[in-house]
Amino acid sequence: MPTLQMRARRTLILVLAVLCVLPAHAAPRPPLVLAAASLQESMNAAADAWARLGHPRPILSFAASSALARQIQSGAPADLFVSADEPWMAAVDKAGRLAPGSRTVFLGNRLVLAAAAGDRRAVALDRAGPLLAALGPARLAMADPDAVPAGLYGKAALQKIGAWDRLAPRIVRAENVRAALALVERGAAPFGIVYATDVRASPRVRIAGVFPAASHPPIRYPVARLKASTSAEAEPFRRFLISARGKAIFARYGFTPL
């Protein structure tokens, strides 16, 4: 089965092919939006709402923010980038890829411990003991803690509560936060560190515990228009996303408007 990363690359290739055959008098080209994997349901809902207003529906490509940022740094064509953290957006900005003045933080999230829906255990996450006891000898799923935002947040939280050194050898590293969630859904790992919104999107998992906000950097989602954008719809859609109406859509999926 193709991974999210593979599907993202295929989407980019498809968009390039479409651009090559569009006539000059065609309707406004829909913007290509590269968005963090955790935004799948909410960003699709925002794109649908934008289309209902009479605009061409944006083309959405989802993957880990780290993977998307690297694609942009390598020159991949796109119009908007929505990251699950500020450092990867800053990296794209440092590479000179962002349109000046278009970078805006607009959403927040919570970091949680996901368990299978049938597992009714509650795990306190203000210290290492309860998590280590609940996990036992099993492995813990999380997005790559060296690159992917959800993994970076998770590593910081585990370090803060004193559990990282003991758990690091037993981490199952996933390519993005949704892949980590899938491991818990399939029973490949009893627990996974994901966002609260990811758990909300799946009936097969539940929240076993919430990491204290002070245990990790604030979870903030910035959006920006890329300097290489060629879609006249890109900036209007970006403004829609950060508007009260746009943020209300994301709030329905559990995100915190900022």
Side-chain angles (χ1 to χ4, degrees):
M1 179 178 294
T3 67
L4 192 60
Q5 302 286 92
M6 293 172 61
R7 290 196 295 271
R9 285 194 291 269
R10 289 176 182 176
T11 297
L12 289 174
I13 293 171
L14 177 61
V15 170
L16 282 173
V18 171
L19 291 178
C20 289
V21 300
L22 278 177
H25 60 276
R29 180 178 68 78
L32 171 59
V33 182
L34 305 185
S38 53
L39 292 166
Q40 290 180 60
E41 295 80 14
S42 55
M43 188 62 73
N44 270 295
D48 289 341
W50 184 244
R52 286 195 294 271
L53 293 175
H55 299 271
R57 190 184 190 279
I59 299 169
L60 309 178
S61 180
F62 299 101
S65 300
S66 52
L68 296 174
R70 288 169 180 146
Q71 289 176 18
I72 295 168
Q73 290 171 322
S74 297
D79 298 291
L80 297 178
F81 175 39
V82 189
S83 173
D85 74 356
E86 295 185 88
W88 278 113
M89 184 66 78
V92 173
D93 196 3
K94 185 176 180 180
R97 301 293 186 178
L98 299 187
S102 68
R103 178 177 167 183
T104 305
V105 173
F106 72 123
L107 299 174
N109 213 331
R110 293 180 300 153
L111 192 69
V112 304
L113 186 71
D119 186 339
R120 308 312 299 177
R121 289 176 291 176
V123 182
L125 296 173
D126 56 344
R127 58 195 186 283
L131 176 58
L132 294 172
L135 193 61
R139 305 182 76 186
L140 176 66
M142 61 190 295
D144 183 356
D146 292 329
V148 181
L152 294 168
Y153 293 129
K155 179 178 180 179
L158 293 176
Q159 288 174 325
K160 183 69 173 181
I161 66 174
W164 174 254
D165 289 342
R166 294 184 61 179
L167 291 180
R170 291 190 280 143
I171 297 296
V172 182
R173 298 176 177 231
E175 69 177 19
N176 57 64
V177 71
R178 287 303 175 89
L181 183 75
L183 291 170
V184 180
E185 289 176 323
R186 298 197 303 264
F191 296 107
I193 298 177
V194 299
Y195 299 123
T197 52
D198 297 310
V199 176
R200 185 166 176 165
S202 173
R204 292 190 284 172
V205 296
R206 57 177 289 275
I207 293 176
V210 179
F211 286 94
S215 68
H216 56 81
I219 300 173
R220 293 174 177 163
Y221 289 68
V223 57
R225 180 166 46 87
L226 300 180
K227 188 179 291 185
S229 171
T230 58
S231 171
E233 287 281 305
E235 180 60 18
F237 184 57
R238 186 191 73 86
R239 291 182 178 274
F240 173 73
L241 293 177
I242 64 176
S243 70
R245 185 171 183 177
K247 289 179 181 179
I249 294 171
F250 292 93
R252 293 203 301 268
Y253 289 84
F255 291 89
T256 302
L258 298 177

